[in-house]
Amino acid sequence: MHVLVLGGAGMVGRKFIERLARDKQLGGKPVDKVTAQDIFPASPPANAPFAFETLTSDLSQPGEAEKLIASRPELIVHLAAVVSGEAEADFDKGYRINLDGTRYLFEAIRHAGDGYKPRVVFTSSVAVFGAPFHDKIEDEFFTTPLTSYGTQKAIGELLLCDYSRRGFFDGVGIRLPTICVRPGTPNKAASGFFSNIIREPLNGQEAVLPVSDQVRHWHASPRSAVGFLVHAATMDTAAIGPRRALTMPGYSCTVAEQIETLRKVAGENVVKRIRREIDPVIDKIVAGWPRNFNAQRATALGFKAEANFEEIIRVHIEDELGGKFVA
Amino acid sequence: MHVLVLGGAGMVGRKFIERLARDKQLGGKPVDKVTAQDIFPASPPANAPFAFETLTSDLSQPGEAEKLIASRPELIVHLAAVVSGEAEADFDKGYRINLDGTRYLFEAIRHAGDGYKPRVVFTSSVAVFGAPFHDKIEDEFFTTPLTSYGTQKAIGELLLCDYSRRGFFDGVGIRLPTICVRPGTPNKAASGFFSNIIREPLNGQEAVLPVSDQVRHWHASPRSAVGFLVHAATMDTAAIGPRRALTMPGYSCTVAEQIETLRKVAGENVVKRIRREIDPVIDKIVAGWPRNFNAQRATALGFKAEANFEEIIRVHIEDELGGKFVA
């Protein structure tokens, strides 16, 4: 099968393609070609057993989506998006990429006109929810985003459901938890510290905790995120029905529990590398974020995440640090 | 003040403009001009105390929205839409009018660039909900439309909230119940019978009831619909917060209760003009519709509807039949 990954040069896209290279198949079908589209070139995965192609293009330019689906990939994983902060800072860009780009893709598929009906996996976000929340957000809770990014994702979900209902493609929308531990270097995302306080200390570096350790949040590992994509790509969608946007499972814990778990896994010396320094701006942003979910539907449909924060740390040490850390 | 009504030639638009002509003011401000835009010309209301202008245009054509707001109306009531059946039959037309048209309007306001920040009242629909429902749908229930029309309205609500949150305009979204008793002649809308079985018998005509009399539905009179618009146009939006799409109050009853109330108000002879003849197609469509709501937020914010079906019938007799009916 031919797999098209939009946003294929990003962290999750890259890890998904690496997993395809290891698994060599998807849902029992051999993967013979992977196309990674992004605004910058994607590197090929190591030991790819399939033809790998990288395309640089801007999905929000009319005509680009048609080119991307010209070879009729059986699976399209749509990860391409302007992130939350940028969509808030640049209103036009956010709507152009996150809304128009998605709509161009869906329209290109609808207009293929040759019976083409791919599986489309659309990555959404818990940013579709806006405070005030219930302590544990249920599957039937309404989406009232408080960012333009969340609005664009909620609209993408609605379009995904309508285009699937009308039979234009077979869509699955997955709302990702905050991905923790995010590999790489600290970035300016307001949510960055959830990963920084684990990743940097394990790497012998200091990390700043800018909020109270009583802040509670919803996490899943990069490995789980890739697992969600694989499951969404291969599951029987007859079981989903018309409500195709699913809150993914995850693990809810406080920052204090993250730190306690780091102490248990890596010791006091590592934990000492966390410096507490409240940043009122980040503190305020984080206060508006969801803390916990009851992801019943996704769990019943076979999506799986870590059951505790220790697993999340161990996945990071295994997948990113070759099993070792700086004690 | 200058009021722009998009879809001003339709039933609700016409009645809203007639009410402005009677009240002469809105929220204490004298109305000095009303512009009714639609795809066909709107008639002027009787005894209009304001300048009345009718414009025929297609809001979904680029550039039309800019023309409509060129004179900077303080209030825009957006009723223009392709209805449910048509949006389902013609996918492109539904998205063009209901989604693109709405977005063109919002974008035109955003780009005005002279501090223009009108009140925008957007009429949405209970079609944003899709079965299965709770028996009584709460304000926090999620929107999972099962029609393209409902999808387009749900997207319009999301855009309304985001543009309002960003300060581009001051929006209020109102989800109308089924309007009953709808004046005029029977039409092909699947929901038409809820009105037909009251209006036609009161007019000495036979009406067909195509579903079981155990069907329960959610109603408000045309007079209430106009009241919702007036309240949405004049209320203090500080009290709404960022969740600007509100399910309007209404009255939930079975068709059996509608008929019993007609008997009480108009007598057995009138009720005898209802012929029961199940239409399996309509029966199936109606089974997917919401039956009852708990419109707590809208009620707390001052929106009012009828408290029983007798009021709904009496409003029809007063407003449409000059107080008389064919006994």
PDB file of all heavy atoms in Angstrom, chain B residues 247-275:
ATOM      1  N   THR B 247     -28.706  27.370  22.790  1.00  0.00           N
ATOM      2  CA  THR B 247     -29.946  26.682  22.432  1.00  0.00           C
ATOM      3  C   THR B 247     -31.112  27.488  22.986  1.00  0.00           C
ATOM      4  O   THR B 247     -31.180  27.745  24.188  1.00  0.00           O
ATOM      5  CB  THR B 247     -29.969  25.265  23.042  1.00  0.00           C
ATOM      6  OG1 THR B 247     -28.871  24.526  22.499  1.00  0.00           O
ATOM      7  CG2 THR B 247     -31.264  24.559  22.726  1.00  0.00           C
ATOM      8  N   MET B 248     -31.990  27.920  22.103  1.00  0.00           N
ATOM      9  CA  MET B 248     -33.117  28.754  22.533  1.00  0.00           C
ATOM     10  C   MET B 248     -34.149  27.931  23.304  1.00  0.00           C
ATOM     11  O   MET B 248     -34.287  26.738  23.075  1.00  0.00           O
ATOM     12  CB  MET B 248     -33.790  29.384  21.303  1.00  0.00           C
ATOM     13  CG  MET B 248     -32.964  30.437  20.614  1.00  0.00           C
ATOM     14  SD  MET B 248     -32.722  31.920  21.656  1.00  0.00           S
ATOM     15  CE  MET B 248     -31.034  31.680  22.215  1.00  0.00           C
ATOM     16  N   PRO B 249     -34.872  28.583  24.211  1.00  0.00           N
ATOM     17  CA  PRO B 249     -35.944  27.861  24.894  1.00  0.00           C
ATOM     18  C   PRO B 249     -37.065  27.504  23.914  1.00  0.00           C
ATOM     19  O   PRO B 249     -37.151  28.065  22.823  1.00  0.00           O
ATOM     20  CB  PRO B 249     -36.434  28.868  25.947  1.00  0.00           C
ATOM     21  CG  PRO B 249     -36.017  30.205  25.438  1.00  0.00           C
ATOM     22  CD  PRO B 249     -34.776  29.984  24.631  1.00  0.00           C
ATOM     23  N   GLY B 250     -37.889  26.575  24.309  1.00  0.00           N
ATOM     24  CA  GLY B 250     -38.995  26.145  23.469  1.00  0.00           C
ATOM     25  C   GLY B 250     -39.934  25.317  24.317  1.00  0.00           C
ATOM     26  O   GLY B 250     -39.785  25.262  25.544  1.00  0.00           O
ATOM     27  N   TYR B 251     -40.889  24.678  23.669  1.00  0.00           N
ATOM     28  CA  TYR B 251     -41.808  23.818  24.391  1.00  0.00           C
ATOM     29  C   TYR B 251     -41.788  22.440  23.745  1.00  0.00           C
ATOM     30  O   TYR B 251     -41.957  22.307  22.532  1.00  0.00           O
ATOM     31  CB  TYR B 251     -43.227  24.405  24.386  1.00  0.00           C
ATOM     32  CG  TYR B 251     -44.189  23.537  25.160  1.00  0.00           C
ATOM     33  CD1 TYR B 251     -44.082  23.410  26.549  1.00  0.00           C
ATOM     34  CD2 TYR B 251     -45.163  22.798  24.504  1.00  0.00           C
ATOM     35  CE1 TYR B 251     -44.930  22.584  27.254  1.00  0.00           C
ATOM     36  CE2 TYR B 251     -46.029  21.964  25.210  1.00  0.00           C
ATOM     37  CZ  TYR B 251     -45.899  21.866  26.593  1.00  0.00           C
ATOM     38  OH  TYR B 251     -46.728  21.034  27.300  1.00  0.00           O
ATOM     39  N   SER B 252     -41.545  21.421  24.574  1.00  0.00           N
ATOM     40  CA  SER B 252     -41.479  20.058  24.078  1.00  0.00           C
ATOM     41  C   SER B 252     -42.806  19.358  24.303  1.00  0.00           C
ATOM     42  O   SER B 252     -43.324  19.333  25.424  1.00  0.00           O
ATOM     43  CB  SER B 252     -40.371  19.295  24.818  1.00  0.00           C
ATOM     44  OG  SER B 252     -40.451  17.918  24.507  1.00  0.00           O
ATOM     45  N   CYS B 253     -43.372  18.799  23.246  1.00  0.00           N
ATOM     46  CA  CYS B 253     -44.589  18.005  23.432  1.00  0.00           C
ATOM     47  C   CYS B 253     -44.720  16.966  22.332  1.00  0.00           C
ATOM     48  O   CYS B 253     -44.048  17.032  21.307  1.00  0.00           O
ATOM     49  CB  CYS B 253     -45.831  18.891  23.486  1.00  0.00           C
ATOM     50  SG  CYS B 253     -46.219  19.719  21.952  1.00  0.00           S
ATOM     51  N   THR B 254     -45.619  16.008  22.563  1.00  0.00           N
ATOM     52  CA  THR B 254     -45.898  14.996  21.541  1.00  0.00           C
ATOM     53  C   THR B 254     -46.923  15.553  20.554  1.00  0.00           C
ATOM     54  O   THR B 254     -47.630  16.526  20.844  1.00  0.00           O
ATOM     55  CB  THR B 254     -46.484  13.724  22.173  1.00  0.00           C
ATOM     56  OG1 THR B 254     -47.703  14.091  22.828  1.00  0.00           O
ATOM     57  CG2 THR B 254     -45.522  13.100  23.180  1.00  0.00           C
ATOM     58  N   VAL B 255     -47.006  14.908  19.414  1.00  0.00           N
ATOM     59  CA  VAL B 255     -48.031  15.272  18.437  1.00  0.00           C
ATOM     60  C   VAL B 255     -49.413  15.062  19.066  1.00  0.00           C
ATOM     61  O   VAL B 255     -50.335  15.860  18.840  1.00  0.00           O
ATOM     62  CB  VAL B 255     -47.858  14.437  17.157  1.00  0.00           C
ATOM     63  CG1 VAL B 255     -49.052  14.615  16.230  1.00  0.00           C
ATOM     64  CG2 VAL B 255     -46.557  14.825  16.441  1.00  0.00           C
ATOM     65  N   ALA B 256     -49.546  14.030  19.891  1.00  0.00           N
ATOM     66  CA  ALA B 256     -50.832  13.789  20.567  1.00  0.00           C
ATOM     67  C   ALA B 256     -51.227  15.002  21.402  1.00  0.00           C
ATOM     68  O   ALA B 256     -52.397  15.423  21.400  1.00  0.00           O
ATOM     69  CB  ALA B 256     -50.727  12.534  21.442  1.00  0.00           C
ATOM     70  N   GLU B 257     -50.245  15.602  22.095  1.00  0.00           N
ATOM     71  CA  GLU B 257     -50.545  16.797  22.903  1.00  0.00           C
ATOM     72  C   GLU B 257     -50.894  17.990  22.008  1.00  0.00           C
ATOM     73  O   GLU B 257     -51.802  18.762  22.333  1.00  0.00           O
ATOM     74  CB  GLU B 257     -49.357  17.146  23.817  1.00  0.00           C
ATOM     75  CG  GLU B 257     -49.665  18.334  24.716  1.00  0.00           C
ATOM     76  CD  GLU B 257     -48.513  18.689  25.677  1.00  0.00           C
ATOM     77  OE1 GLU B 257     -47.703  17.797  26.003  1.00  0.00           O
ATOM     78  OE2 GLU B 257     -48.450  19.867  26.086  1.00  0.00           O
ATOM     79  N   GLN B 258     -50.203  18.105  20.877  1.00  0.00           N
ATOM     80  CA  GLN B 258     -50.558  19.169  19.923  1.00  0.00           C
ATOM     81  C   GLN B 258     -52.044  19.043  19.541  1.00  0.00           C
ATOM     82  O   GLN B 258     -52.778  20.028  19.524  1.00  0.00           O
ATOM     83  CB  GLN B 258     -49.728  19.050  18.634  1.00  0.00           C
ATOM     84  CG  GLN B 258     -48.262  19.419  18.723  1.00  0.00           C
ATOM     85  CD  GLN B 258     -47.632  19.445  17.314  1.00  0.00           C
ATOM     86  OE1 GLN B 258     -46.999  18.486  16.906  1.00  0.00           O
ATOM     87  NE2 GLN B 258     -47.832  20.520  16.585  1.00  0.00           N
ATOM     88  N   ILE B 259     -52.447  17.791  19.222  1.00  0.00           N
ATOM     89  CA  ILE B 259     -53.821  17.559  18.738  1.00  0.00           C
ATOM     90  C   ILE B 259     -54.841  17.786  19.855  1.00  0.00           C
ATOM     91  O   ILE B 259     -55.886  18.417  19.659  1.00  0.00           O
ATOM     92  CB  ILE B 259     -53.944  16.133  18.144  1.00  0.00           C
ATOM     93  CG1 ILE B 259     -53.072  16.034  16.876  1.00  0.00           C
ATOM     94  CG2 ILE B 259     -55.398  15.793  17.820  1.00  0.00           C
ATOM     95  CD1 ILE B 259     -52.943  14.624  16.313  1.00  0.00           C
ATOM     96  N   GLU B 260     -54.509  17.304  21.069  1.00  0.00           N
ATOM     97  CA  GLU B 260     -55.412  17.500  22.210  1.00  0.00           C
ATOM     98  C   GLU B 260     -55.616  18.993  22.464  1.00  0.00           C
ATOM     99  O   GLU B 260     -56.729  19.444  22.770  1.00  0.00           O
ATOM    100  CB  GLU B 260     -54.834  16.844  23.467  1.00  0.00           C
ATOM    101  CG  GLU B 260     -55.324  15.452  23.718  1.00  0.00           C
ATOM    102  CD  GLU B 260     -56.770  15.275  23.292  1.00  0.00           C
ATOM    103  OE1 GLU B 260     -57.663  15.893  23.925  1.00  0.00           O
ATOM    104  OE2 GLU B 260     -57.026  14.557  22.302  1.00  0.00           O
ATOM    105  N   THR B 261     -54.507  19.760  22.337  1.00  0.00           N
ATOM    106  CA  THR B 261     -54.595  21.195  22.597  1.00  0.00           C
ATOM    107  C   THR B 261     -55.424  21.881  21.514  1.00  0.00           C
ATOM    108  O   THR B 261     -56.221  22.785  21.800  1.00  0.00           O
ATOM    109  CB  THR B 261     -53.180  21.808  22.676  1.00  0.00           C
ATOM    110  OG1 THR B 261     -52.387  21.006  23.545  1.00  0.00           O
ATOM    111  CG2 THR B 261     -53.222  23.226  23.197  1.00  0.00           C
ATOM    112  N   LEU B 262     -55.268  21.421  20.266  1.00  0.00           N
ATOM    113  CA  LEU B 262     -56.085  21.971  19.176  1.00  0.00           C
ATOM    114  C   LEU B 262     -57.565  21.712  19.455  1.00  0.00           C
ATOM    115  O   LEU B 262     -58.415  22.587  19.262  1.00  0.00           O
ATOM    116  CB  LEU B 262     -55.668  21.340  17.841  1.00  0.00           C
ATOM    117  CG  LEU B 262     -56.403  21.867  16.606  1.00  0.00           C
ATOM    118  CD1 LEU B 262     -56.069  23.345  16.369  1.00  0.00           C
ATOM    119  CD2 LEU B 262     -56.052  21.056  15.357  1.00  0.00           C
ATOM    120  N   ARG B 263     -57.886  20.505  19.973  1.00  0.00           N
ATOM    121  CA  ARG B 263     -59.279  20.156  20.305  1.00  0.00           C
ATOM    122  C   ARG B 263     -59.804  21.120  21.367  1.00  0.00           C
ATOM    123  O   ARG B 263     -60.907  21.653  21.250  1.00  0.00           O
ATOM    124  CB  ARG B 263     -59.349  18.711  20.797  1.00  0.00           C
ATOM    125  CG  ARG B 263     -60.760  18.241  21.156  1.00  0.00           C
ATOM    126  CD  ARG B 263     -60.810  16.756  21.533  1.00  0.00           C
ATOM    127  NE  ARG B 263     -60.731  15.901  20.370  1.00  0.00           N
ATOM    128  CZ  ARG B 263     -59.744  15.044  20.098  1.00  0.00           C
ATOM    129  NH1 ARG B 263     -58.734  14.906  20.952  1.00  0.00           N
ATOM    130  NH2 ARG B 263     -59.765  14.311  19.000  1.00  0.00           N
ATOM    131  N   LYS B 264     -58.985  21.375  22.376  1.00  0.00           N
ATOM    132  CA  LYS B 264     -59.397  22.253  23.480  1.00  0.00           C
ATOM    133  C   LYS B 264     -59.640  23.684  22.979  1.00  0.00           C
ATOM    134  O   LYS B 264     -60.623  24.330  23.349  1.00  0.00           O
ATOM    135  CB  LYS B 264     -58.277  22.250  24.538  1.00  0.00           C
ATOM    136  CG  LYS B 264     -58.577  23.087  25.762  1.00  0.00           C
ATOM    137  CD  LYS B 264     -57.413  23.038  26.754  1.00  0.00           C
ATOM    138  CE  LYS B 264     -57.530  24.192  27.755  1.00  0.00           C
ATOM    139  NZ  LYS B 264     -56.257  24.427  28.435  1.00  0.00           N
ATOM    140  N   VAL B 265     -58.734  24.161  22.114  1.00  0.00           N
ATOM    141  CA  VAL B 265     -58.815  25.557  21.663  1.00  0.00           C
ATOM    142  C   VAL B 265     -59.870  25.725  20.586  1.00  0.00           C
ATOM    143  O   VAL B 265     -60.606  26.726  20.572  1.00  0.00           O
ATOM    144  CB  VAL B 265     -57.442  26.031  21.125  1.00  0.00           C
ATOM    145  CG1 VAL B 265     -57.547  27.397  20.462  1.00  0.00           C
ATOM    146  CG2 VAL B 265     -56.405  26.044  22.233  1.00  0.00           C
ATOM    147  N   ALA B 266     -60.008  24.720  19.655  1.00  0.00           N
ATOM    148  CA  ALA B 266     -60.810  24.950  18.449  1.00  0.00           C
ATOM    149  C   ALA B 266     -61.948  23.954  18.259  1.00  0.00           C
ATOM    150  O   ALA B 266     -62.815  24.161  17.405  1.00  0.00           O
ATOM    151  CB  ALA B 266     -59.899  24.921  17.222  1.00  0.00           C
ATOM    152  N   GLY B 267     -61.959  22.873  19.037  1.00  0.00           N
ATOM    153  CA  GLY B 267     -63.097  21.942  18.964  1.00  0.00           C
ATOM    154  C   GLY B 267     -62.858  20.728  18.080  1.00  0.00           C
ATOM    155  O   GLY B 267     -61.938  20.679  17.262  1.00  0.00           O
ATOM    156  N   GLU B 268     -63.744  19.752  18.274  1.00  0.00           N
ATOM    157  CA  GLU B 268     -63.635  18.445  17.628  1.00  0.00           C
ATOM    158  C   GLU B 268     -63.702  18.533  16.102  1.00  0.00           C
ATOM    159  O   GLU B 268     -62.995  17.830  15.394  1.00  0.00           O
ATOM    160  CB  GLU B 268     -64.741  17.534  18.176  1.00  0.00           C
ATOM    161  CG  GLU B 268     -64.744  16.110  17.662  1.00  0.00           C
ATOM    162  CD  GLU B 268     -63.458  15.349  18.006  1.00  0.00           C
ATOM    163  OE1 GLU B 268     -62.804  15.678  19.027  1.00  0.00           O
ATOM    164  OE2 GLU B 268     -63.098  14.436  17.227  1.00  0.00           O
ATOM    165  N   ASN B 269     -64.554  19.415  15.602  1.00  0.00           N
ATOM    166  CA  ASN B 269     -64.699  19.553  14.142  1.00  0.00           C
ATOM    167  C   ASN B 269     -63.377  19.892  13.461  1.00  0.00           C
ATOM    168  O   ASN B 269     -63.096  19.403  12.376  1.00  0.00           O
ATOM    169  CB  ASN B 269     -65.696  20.677  13.817  1.00  0.00           C
ATOM    170  CG  ASN B 269     -67.094  20.114  13.652  1.00  0.00           C
ATOM    171  OD1 ASN B 269     -67.271  18.886  13.619  1.00  0.00           O
ATOM    172  ND2 ASN B 269     -68.071  20.998  13.549  1.00  0.00           N
ATOM    173  N   VAL B 270     -62.621  20.759  14.117  1.00  0.00           N
ATOM    174  CA  VAL B 270     -61.339  21.176  13.556  1.00  0.00           C
ATOM    175  C   VAL B 270     -60.359  19.990  13.557  1.00  0.00           C
ATOM    176  O   VAL B 270     -59.700  19.706  12.549  1.00  0.00           O
ATOM    177  CB  VAL B 270     -60.773  22.387  14.341  1.00  0.00           C
ATOM    178  CG1 VAL B 270     -59.341  22.695  13.910  1.00  0.00           C
ATOM    179  CG2 VAL B 270     -61.670  23.605  14.125  1.00  0.00           C
ATOM    180  N   VAL B 271     -60.330  19.278  14.685  1.00  0.00           N
ATOM    181  CA  VAL B 271     -59.405  18.144  14.817  1.00  0.00           C
ATOM    182  C   VAL B 271     -59.707  17.061  13.778  1.00  0.00           C
ATOM    183  O   VAL B 271     -58.794  16.395  13.278  1.00  0.00           O
ATOM    184  CB  VAL B 271     -59.466  17.589  16.257  1.00  0.00           C
ATOM    185  CG1 VAL B 271     -58.774  16.222  16.350  1.00  0.00           C
ATOM    186  CG2 VAL B 271     -58.798  18.570  17.219  1.00  0.00           C
ATOM    187  N   LYS B 272     -60.989  16.904  13.445  1.00  0.00           N
ATOM    188  CA  LYS B 272     -61.388  15.877  12.461  1.00  0.00           C
ATOM    189  C   LYS B 272     -60.748  16.094  11.093  1.00  0.00           C
ATOM    190  O   LYS B 272     -60.751  15.203  10.251  1.00  0.00           O
ATOM    191  CB  LYS B 272     -62.908  15.868  12.313  1.00  0.00           C
ATOM    192  CG  LYS B 272     -63.614  15.006  13.340  1.00  0.00           C
ATOM    193  CD  LYS B 272     -65.083  14.867  12.960  1.00  0.00           C
ATOM    194  CE  LYS B 272     -65.878  14.161  14.035  1.00  0.00           C
ATOM    195  NZ  LYS B 272     -67.289  14.604  13.994  1.00  0.00           N
ATOM    196  N   ARG B 273     -60.241  17.295  10.852  1.00  0.00           N
ATOM    197  CA  ARG B 273     -59.632  17.582   9.539  1.00  0.00           C
ATOM    198  C   ARG B 273     -58.195  17.025   9.430  1.00  0.00           C
ATOM    199  O   ARG B 273     -57.550  17.183   8.412  1.00  0.00           O
ATOM    200  CB  ARG B 273     -59.632  19.094   9.271  1.00  0.00           C
ATOM    201  CG  ARG B 273     -61.037  19.642   9.135  1.00  0.00           C
ATOM    202  CD  ARG B 273     -61.092  21.157   8.993  1.00  0.00           C
ATOM    203  NE  ARG B 273     -62.470  21.610   9.193  1.00  0.00           N
ATOM    204  CZ  ARG B 273     -62.815  22.689   9.896  1.00  0.00           C
ATOM    205  NH1 ARG B 273     -61.890  23.466  10.429  1.00  0.00           N
ATOM    206  NH2 ARG B 273     -64.094  23.001  10.038  1.00  0.00           N
ATOM    207  N   ILE B 274     -57.703  16.424  10.531  1.00  0.00           N
ATOM    208  CA  ILE B 274     -56.377  15.792  10.485  1.00  0.00           C
ATOM    209  C   ILE B 274     -56.543  14.341  10.046  1.00  0.00           C
ATOM    210  O   ILE B 274     -57.263  13.573  10.682  1.00  0.00           O
ATOM    211  CB  ILE B 274     -55.686  15.835  11.870  1.00  0.00           C
ATOM    212  CG1 ILE B 274     -55.534  17.283  12.346  1.00  0.00           C
ATOM    213  CG2 ILE B 274     -54.315  15.146  11.809  1.00  0.00           C
ATOM    214  CD1 ILE B 274     -55.075  17.414  13.796  1.00  0.00           C
ATOM    215  N   ARG B 275     -55.880  13.980   8.954  1.00  0.00           N
ATOM    216  CA  ARG B 275     -55.931  12.604   8.460  1.00  0.00           C
ATOM    217  C   ARG B 275     -54.615  11.919   8.795  1.00  0.00           C
ATOM    218  O   ARG B 275     -53.548  12.450   8.512  1.00  0.00           O
ATOM    219  CB  ARG B 275     -56.153  12.618   6.943  1.00  0.00           C
ATOM    220  CG  ARG B 275     -56.348  11.231   6.334  1.00  0.00           C
ATOM    221  CD  ARG B 275     -57.062  11.311   4.994  1.00  0.00           C
ATOM    222  NE  ARG B 275     -56.364  12.211   4.065  1.00  0.00           N
ATOM    223  CZ  ARG B 275     -55.312  11.851   3.313  1.00  0.00           C
ATOM    224  NH1 ARG B 275     -54.824  10.631   3.391  1.00  0.00           N
ATOM    225  NH2 ARG B 275     -54.744  12.721   2.485  1.00  0.00           N
TER     226      ARG B 275
END
